[in-house]
């Protein structure tokens, strides 16, 4: 069974193809047969396309992309990327008919979907309706669905795997905001994001520790350009730092994370900042980039710190402080901790971030092995043998989590036909049954 995964972001498009047995999923994620990526921001007026295939030579190409925000331009380049699966030197399959299912990362599923669902017109309409809650992501996710449908035809099953789904069972005390009760009626609540990543690394951590996920208390730290924490107990997310939108919570690459709401009122009333300007300020001009004045990339920040740039040092210190504060909040929700897990671009690659974060929690008898921490660890416990809390670095594999979710949905199809309860919220019929 060949499953194509599309993972669209605001500034990138990642895709891969997995070949899976119909019998069972492997214990360890396999290497994809084909991987493709588009970076819309590599150079002005250009998009960088790269393809790796087990069947042929790698491909690197710069394509004209004068307006990366133009949906037609992005669609054309995404179509070109996917066509390299069955055309040219990176050809991996004979034709589009060799793709048996497609899985899409969709950032926001709102209150409607608590699990992955098969895509139909209703699902697409819901994703479109939720664009105001994830304006940088849901449009790209929806475009990927429509491109795949155009290339592969309407009979190839597609599944939406929602970033919010893993957090859909948050306790009400964690999910509800302390505003007027009407907010809840309007759908204003904590949704949480990065759920695909948090779910994968929790399961992988349990496997690495040789323990049942149901007995573990975990804090997962997804630290990339976007950052979030999750408190996981009995395999479920019970608290998380991102909220109604992916803007809440930790300081990020160019996003502010949580700020005093009074600041926003002040900026609009006293400084004349419009809502659109405020949106740009909070999403693209804040975080590491805003405080340092240099970059949203932590590697660039650390280089500037080595050159004694004071604003870069301030940005790093605030970044670490916010992560530590967030972990403290997650600890209170868990009432204990078995493992602290680092993942995503910064979490997996920055020994300095891990060391600075862990130092604040030595009172928990959490002890980092400095040698292991600096060894470029992957799927490894980097705590000392004496540490009472394990510290793991886990390579997040969102694409594999999406592919394996599609595999499970396809293999559960007969179960659904026999009338088991729907996994979709609000009384919807599971779209897996609708074609």
């Amino acid at each position: 069974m060949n499953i194509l995964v599309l993972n669209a972001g605001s500034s990138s498009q990642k895709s891969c193809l997995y070949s899976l047995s119909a019998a069972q999923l492997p214990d360890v994620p396999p290497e994809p047969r084909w991987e493709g990526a588009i970076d819309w921001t590599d150079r002005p007026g250009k998009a960088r396309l790269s393809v790796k295939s087990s069947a042929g030579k790698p491909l690197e190409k710069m394509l004209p992309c004068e307006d990366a925000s133009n949906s037609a331009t992005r669609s054309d380049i995404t179509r070109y990327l996917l066509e390299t699966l069955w055309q040219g030197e990176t050809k991996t399959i004979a034709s589009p008919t060799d793709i048996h299912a497609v899985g899409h990362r969709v950032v926001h599923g709102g209150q409607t979907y608590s699990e992955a669902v098969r895509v139909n017109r209703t699902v697409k309409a819901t994703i479109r309706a939720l664009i105001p809650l994830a304006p940088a992501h849901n449009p790209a996710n929806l475009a990927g669905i429509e491109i795949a449908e155009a290339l592969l035809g309407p009979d190839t099953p597609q599944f939406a795997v929602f970033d919010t789904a893993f957090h859909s069972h948050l306790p009400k005390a964690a999910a509800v905001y302390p505003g007027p009760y009407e907010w809840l009626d309007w759908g204003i609540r904590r949704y949480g994001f990065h759920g695909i990543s948090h779910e994968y690394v929790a399961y992988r951590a349990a496997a690495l520790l040789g323990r049942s996920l149901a007995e573990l208390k975990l804090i997962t730290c997804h630290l990339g350009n976007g950052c979030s924490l999750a408190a996981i107990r009995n395999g479920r997310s019970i608290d998380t730092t991102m909220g109604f939108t992916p803007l809440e919570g930790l300081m990020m690459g160019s996003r502010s994370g949580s700020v005093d709401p009074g600041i926003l009122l002040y900026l609009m009333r006293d400084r004349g900042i419009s809502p659109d300007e405020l949106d740009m300020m909070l999403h693209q001009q804040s975080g590491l980039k805003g405080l340092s004045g240099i970059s949203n990339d932590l590697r660039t920040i650390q280089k500037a710190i080595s050159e004694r740039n004071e604003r870069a040092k301030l940005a790093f210190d605030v970044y670490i402080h916010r992560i530590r504060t967030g972990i403290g909040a997650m600890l209170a929700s868990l009432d204990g901790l078995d493992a602290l897990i680092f993942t995503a671009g910064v979490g997996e690659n920055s020994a300095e971030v891990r060391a600075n974060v862990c130092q604040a929690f030595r009172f928990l008898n959490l002890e980092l092995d400095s040698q292991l921490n600096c060894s470029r660890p992957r799927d490894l416990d980097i705590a000392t043998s004496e540490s009472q809390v394990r510290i793991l670095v886990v390579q997040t594999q969102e694409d594999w989590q999406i592919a394996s979710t599609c595999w499970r949905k396809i293999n559960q199809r007969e179960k659904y036909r026999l009338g088991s309860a729907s996994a979709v919220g609000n009384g919807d019929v599971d779209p897996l049954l609708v074609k």
Side-chain angles (χ1 to χ4, degrees):
M1 179 186 297
N2 291 322
I3 298 178
L4 175 65
V5 173
L6 272 69
N7 188 338
S10 57
S11 61
S12 65
Q13 166 72 61
K14 296 187 293 180
S15 304
C16 60
L17 183 76
Y18 289 97
S19 291
L20 303 178
S21 164
Q24 64 181 21
L25 290 172
D27 293 332
V28 178
E31 290 294 322
R33 291 179 61 194
W34 172 95
E35 295 178 86
I38 305 166
D39 185 343
W40 307 105
T41 60
D42 186 76
R43 293 185 202 170
K46 298 283 186 180
R48 178 181 292 278
L49 181 143
S50 58
V51 179
K52 292 191 295 182
S53 169
S54 59
K57 296 178 180 178
L59 171 67
E60 291 280 345
K61 199 168 186 177
M62 299 299 296
L63 298 174
C65 183
E66 292 186 7
D67 183 6
S69 64
N70 184 284
S71 58
T73 301
R74 291 174 70 108
S75 293
D76 288 344
I77 295 175
T78 301
R79 286 174 65 101
Y80 181 88
L81 171 69
L82 296 181
E83 287 170 349
T84 66
L85 260 168
W86 56 84
Q87 295 177 7
E89 293 187 340
T90 58
K91 180 177 178 178
T92 305
I93 56 176
S95 73
T97 58
D98 289 333
I99 295 173
H100 304 117
V102 186
H104 299 268
R105 172 182 175 244
V106 180
V107 166
H108 216 307
Q111 296 186 80
T112 307
Y113 301 116
S114 60
E115 290 191 10
V117 293
R118 182 165 176 176
V119 173
N120 63 12
R121 284 178 295 180
T122 301
V123 173
K124 288 193 287 186
T126 303
I127 294 170
R128 185 175 290 109
L130 290 166
I131 284 175
L133 302 189
H137 295 90
N138 269 32
N141 305 149
L142 185 60
I145 290 170
E146 292 172 340
I147 291 165
E149 186 174 278
L151 287 173
L152 307 178
D155 293 333
T156 302
Q158 299 195 67
F159 297 89
V161 184
F162 298 96
D163 245 354
T164 49
F166 183 58
H167 305 295
S168 63
H169 301 290
L170 288 176
K172 281 193 174 181
V176 175
Y177 285 105
Y181 189 83
E182 287 78 11
W183 284 11
L184 196 57
D185 293 334
W186 298 342
I188 298 175
R189 50 157 288 164
R190 182 180 303 282
Y191 290 103
F193 299 89
H194 293 144
I196 299 168
S197 175
H198 287 297
E199 183 176 18
Y200 171 78
V201 298
Y203 276 95
R204 184 69 181 133
L208 291 170
L209 295 172
R211 296 176 63 183
S212 167
L213 182 57
E215 68 182 36
L216 290 172
K217 297 177 180 179
L218 307 172
I219 295 176
T220 50
C221 308
H222 180 106
L223 307 177
N225 188 47
C227 301
S228 68
L229 308 177
I232 299 171
R233 185 170 60 202
N234 302 324
R236 283 195 169 190
S237 171
I238 61 166
D239 204 354
T240 189
T241 53
M242 283 182 170
F244 180 61
T245 73
L247 185 59
E248 188 182 357
L250 304 180
M251 174 180 170
M252 307 178 215
S254 62
R255 281 176 265 175
S256 64
S258 296
V259 296
D260 181 347
I263 296 172
L264 312 184
L265 297 174
Y266 167 78
L267 290 172
M268 289 189 289
R269 288 173 176 167
D270 293 69
R271 293 289 179 176
I273 304 294
S274 72
D276 286 344
E277 290 172 324
L278 194 58
D279 184 276
M280 174 74 74
M281 186 181 292
L282 295 172
H283 281 93
Q284 299 182 34
Q285 299 170 352
S286 298
L288 290 170
K289 182 179 179 181
L291 285 184
S292 72
I294 299 170
S295 174
N296 65 329
D297 191 317
L298 186 68
R299 293 166 296 187
T300 305
I301 300 295
Q302 289 175 318
K303 183 177 184 297
I305 291 172
S306 70
E307 297 166 354
R308 299 188 177 183
N309 184 303
E310 291 185 5
R311 282 183 59 181
K313 180 64 165 61
L314 173 64
F316 183 81
D317 289 346
V318 175
Y319 179 79
I320 295 297
H321 174 76
R322 291 298 184 101
I323 297 171
R324 289 173 169 178
T325 302
I327 290 173
M330 298 300 107
L331 278 171
S333 295
L334 285 172
D335 189 29
L337 185 63
D338 294 301
L340 180 66
I341 306 162
F342 293 92
T343 193
V346 173
E348 294 170 27
N349 294 294
S350 178
E352 187 174 358
V353 166
R354 294 191 297 264
N356 276 272
V357 169
C358 289
Q359 186 177 8
F361 298 99
R362 295 184 66 184
F363 69 93
L364 297 175
N365 291 321
L366 177 153
E367 293 289 342
L368 185 69
D369 184 314
S370 57
Q371 187 172 350
L372 286 175
N373 184 44
C374 295
S375 66
R376 299 183 64 84
R378 288 291 183 277
D379 288 15
L380 187 69
D381 184 350
I382 58 171
T384 64
S385 57
E386 295 82 14
S387 180
Q388 293 186 17
V389 177
R390 309 321 299 165
I391 308 167
L392 303 181
V393 179
V394 175
Q395 182 179 13
T396 191
Q397 302 227 27
E398 289 181 331
D399 293 340
W400 168 247
Q401 184 69 18
I402 294 168
S404 58
T405 298
C406 293
W407 182 92
R408 291 187 184 96
K409 282 292 183 183
I410 292 167
N411 282 275
Q412 288 173 359
R413 184 166 188 154
E414 195 61 34
K415 171 185 166 185
Y416 278 94
R417 281 180 170 163
L418 292 173
S420 68
S422 169
V424 182
N426 293 348
D428 288 355
V429 175
D430 192 324
L432 194 61
L433 300 174
V434 181
K435 192 170 182 177

